[in-house]
């Protein structure tokens, strides 16, 4: 079976080195890869880019930049510098986009967080374009609104893209974060109509998860209407790859090849039946 329409985030197989990821994905016919900065820390990025290309895998995103908020100007300035570095890394890795976990600072209001995020992305959007890297806002589930992201729904992410009105800013939609939104179909359409529906992350949301960060489910293990959301994405005209992004300390203790095979078999069941 071919998995050319499927990509995997390297953080999904966290125990693997970048070499093992590229080899393990290519061997299974997986079509795309999104690379986490953690996975390539200390690596020669030019040679990683070459390896990905030689393996016939499509590079999608570098994950992740963002974290634009901060109580002081210095913190916010440092965040911009860190994002500039990530943009350069994406360019070297030949990845056309950088996913942003936008940030939130404890003690700030949602509005303050939003405005700092807007200003941060606004300050970088031209520069990123000059490097050939699109900036993708990933709305996060509101449980992370305190300290990880002030962009807590697809609606707010759409509002942000509309306000920024920059051709180099788009959205990465992750089912884990937005599955619960009542107006999801409408917001996906709005996103596509605006021309900023760029990326699509899949996994599952287990209602009984034991950890709010590291217990994501394989597709089918949780309560997300994956088929319904996939239909909405298709109807909106999204034709990119579905990217598997699962953080699971439970699965990281197991053999990563078995984990990937499990992911592929649930992918077959849900998306090909
Ligand atoms: Zn994601």
């Amino acid at each position: 079976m071919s998995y050319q329409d499927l990509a995997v985030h390297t953080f999904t197989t966290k125990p693997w080195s970048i070499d093992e990821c590229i080899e393990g994905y290519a061997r299974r016919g997986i079509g795309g890869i999104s690379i986490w900065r953690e996975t390539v820390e200390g690596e020669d990025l030019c040679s990683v880019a070459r390896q990905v290309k030689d393996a016939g895998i499509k590079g999608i995103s570098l994950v992740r930049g963002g974290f634009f908020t901060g109580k002081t100007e210095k913190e916010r300035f440092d965040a911009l510098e860190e994002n500039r570095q990530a943009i350069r890394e994406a360019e070297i890795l030949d990845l056309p986009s950088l996913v942003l976990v936008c940030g939130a600072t404890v003690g700030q209001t949602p509005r303050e967080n939003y405005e700092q995020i807007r200003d941060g992305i606004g300050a970088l959007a031209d520069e990123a374009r000059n490097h050939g890297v699109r900036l993708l806002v990933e709305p996060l589930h509101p449980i992370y609104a305190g300290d990880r992201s002030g962009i807590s729904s697809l609606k707010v992410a759409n509002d942000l893209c509309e306000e920024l009105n920059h051709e180099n800013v788009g959205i990465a939609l992750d089912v884990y974060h937005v599955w619960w939104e009542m107006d999801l179909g409408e917001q996906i359409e709005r996103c596509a109509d605006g021309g900023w529906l760029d990326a699509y992350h899949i996994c599952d949301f287990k209602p009984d998860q034991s950890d709010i960060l590291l217990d994501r489910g394989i597709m089918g293990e949780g309560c997300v209407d994956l088929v319904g959301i996939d239909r909405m994405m298709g109807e909106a005209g999204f034709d990119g790859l579905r990217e598997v992004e699962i953080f699971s300390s439970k699965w990281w203790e197991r053999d990563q090849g078995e984990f990937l095979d499990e992911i592929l078999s649930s992918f077959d069941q849900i998306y090909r039946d």
Side-chain angles (χ1 to χ4, degrees):
M1 180 111 30
S2 161
Y3 295 99
Q4 287 306 301
D5 54 343
L6 178 72
V8 177
H9 280 234
T10 59
F11 212 68
T12 299
T13 50
K14 182 169 176 254
W16 273 358
S17 67
I18 186 67
D19 293 2
E20 289 170 309
C21 290
I22 294 168
E23 199 271 328
Y25 302 173
R27 188 148 44 85
R28 289 170 176 79
I30 291 167
I33 188 169
S34 280
I35 299 178
W36 278 59
R37 297 180 77 193
E38 286 85 342
T39 317
V40 290
E41 210 185 329
E43 300 280 339
D44 172 357
L45 302 184
C46 289
S47 106
V48 172
R50 221 169 15 247
Q51 274 174 269
V52 170
K53 192 162 178 265
D54 291 347
I57 300 178
K58 183 178 178 187
I60 299 180
S61 290
L62 180 67
V63 197
R64 60 203 179 178
F67 295 100
F68 293 106
T69 66
K71 284 226 165 101
T72 65
E73 226 166 275
K74 163 101 175 61
E75 284 172 279
R76 299 196 296 274
F77 176 82
D78 289 348
L80 289 182
E81 287 297 298
E82 187 59 37
N83 277 282
R84 289 189 172 102
Q85 176 61 27
I87 289 165
R88 284 191 290 269
E89 289 171 16
E91 185 182 23
I92 299 169
L93 286 163
D94 211 9
L95 298 169
S97 51
L98 173 66
V99 172
L100 305 174
V101 169
C102 291
T105 296
V106 175
Q108 295 194 155
T109 65
R111 173 54 58 183
E112 283 168 327
N113 286 328
Y114 175 94
E115 287 173 359
Q116 291 175 358
I117 291 163
R118 178 199 60 205
D119 294 348
I121 297 174
L124 293 174
D126 280 340
E127 275 175 62
R129 182 187 50 208
N130 295 341
H131 288 270
V133 178
R134 266 176 84 73
L135 300 178
L136 306 187
V137 173
E138 178 165 3
L140 257 53
H141 190 285
I143 200 162
Y144 306 111
D147 60 356
R148 300 183 90 78
S149 182
I151 308 302
S152 300
S153 68
L154 186 55
K155 183 197 172 293
V156 174
N158 275 328
D159 291 347
L160 176 64
C161 284
E162 226 163 67
E163 190 177 352
L164 281 164
N165 189 25
H166 196 292
E167 58 184 11
N168 198 44
V169 179
I171 287 177
L173 178 147
D174 188 322
V175 298
Y176 182 88
H177 298 299
V178 302
W179 67 275
W180 56 274
E181 295 184 49
M182 297 287 281
D183 61 348
L184 191 58
E186 198 181 301
Q187 294 300 332
I188 288 175
E189 238 173 79
R190 182 179 163 207
C191 195
D193 289 348
W196 53 71
L197 180 57
D198 280 89
Y200 177 25
H201 301 170
I202 57 172
C203 66
D204 213 337
F205 187 102
K206 291 160 45 177
D208 58 346
Q209 55 197 285
S210 59
D211 185 291
I212 62 160
L213 272 183
L214 304 178
D215 190 20
R216 291 193 186 186
I218 295 179
M219 297 82 74
E221 274 190 316
C223 58
V224 177
D225 176 15
L226 294 164
V227 173
I229 295 177
D230 205 65
R231 193 180 310 120
M232 292 173 197
M233 292 295 283
E235 281 169 5
F238 181 81
D239 63 357
L241 280 71
R242 302 177 182 97
E243 306 175 45
V244 175
E245 185 191 31
I246 301 171
F247 317 146
S248 168
S249 35
K250 180 190 96 185
W251 277 104
W252 290 338
E253 282 171 16
R254 309 258 305 260
D255 178 84
Q256 296 304 286
E258 275 174 38
F259 179 25
L260 259 189
D261 292 337
E262 200 67 44
I263 287 170
L264 295 182
S265 102
S266 57
F267 181 79
D268 286 336
Q269 271 171 35
I270 290 165
Y271 295 97
R272 298 207 206 268
D273 276 359

